[in-house]
């Protein structure tokens, strides 16, 4: 039962991480300048897919109805004149076996400039 529960939670956490990356891609595509400005703030709590919480998640800021915390960390990895933003989405949860983490990483750039 523990293994089944862990597998289910890992699958859900992976889905939440991918969902966040897709939302971030959409935000970049809607307004790349606004996206790049938001990415200057190092960490955002993404318990809701919005730009409302520009801090790391506190323990009570779980995705509604789940045991998962989801946040994104941004860093600039491009060399001038290119702006390339690395986004690391982390989804964490705690169960009877301990703390767990699923992490997805991608790079964002203004693809229209290429």
């Amino acid at each position: 039962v523990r293994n089944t529960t862990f597998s289910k939670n890992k699958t859900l956490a992976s889905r939440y991480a991918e969902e966040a990356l897709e939302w971030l891609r959409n935000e970049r595509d809607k307004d790349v300048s606004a996206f790049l400005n938001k990415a200057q703030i190092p960490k955002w709590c993404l318990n809701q897919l919005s730009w409302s919480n520009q801090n790391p998640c506190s323990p009570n800021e779980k995705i509604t109805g789940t045991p998962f915390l989801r946040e994104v960390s941004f860093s600039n990895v491009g060399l001038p004149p290119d702006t390339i933003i690395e986004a690391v989405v982390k989804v964490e949860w705690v169960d009877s076996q301990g703390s767990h983490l699923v992490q997805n990483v991608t790079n964002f750039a203004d693809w229209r400039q290429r």
Side-chain angles (χ1 to χ4, degrees):
V1 172
R2 268 191 290 188
N3 287 340
T4 300
T5 301
F6 172 78
S7 293
K8 179 184 117 186
N9 283 340
K10 187 174 180 185
T11 299
L12 286 170
S14 296
R15 188 175 133 233
Y16 285 125
E18 187 58 36
E19 177 184 60
L21 288 177
E22 289 299 322
W23 178 77
L24 291 167
R25 279 186 197 96
N26 186 52
E27 290 295 297
R28 184 224 25 215
D29 292 348
K30 281 194 313 189
D31 186 342
V32 72
S33 295
F35 176 82
L36 294 174
N37 285 334
K38 302 264 196 245
Q40 297 306 307
I41 298 168
K43 281 196 179 187
W44 291 82
C45 182
L46 295 179
N47 57 340
Q48 300 176 33
L49 294 177
S50 70
W51 295 113
S52 62
N53 193 347
Q54 57 184 351
N55 298 298
C57 293
S58 67
N60 62 345
E61 293 182 294
K62 295 181 172 83
I63 299 170
T64 305
T66 76
F68 303 107
L69 291 174
R70 176 176 56 194
E71 65 184 24
V72 62
S73 300
F74 292 112
S75 59
N76 190 347
V77 296
L79 298 173
D82 293 326
T83 300
I84 300 172
I85 302 295
E86 180 181 78
V88 179
V89 175
K90 294 181 181 180
V91 178
E92 302 175 63
W93 76 100
V94 177
D95 61 20
S96 63
Q97 298 177 55
S99 297
H100 308 285
L101 170 71
V102 168
Q103 179 174 290
N104 284 9
V105 180
T106 196
N107 291 329
F108 291 101
D110 184 358
W111 54 268
R112 291 169 264 212
Q113 299 297 318
R114 304 280 171 206

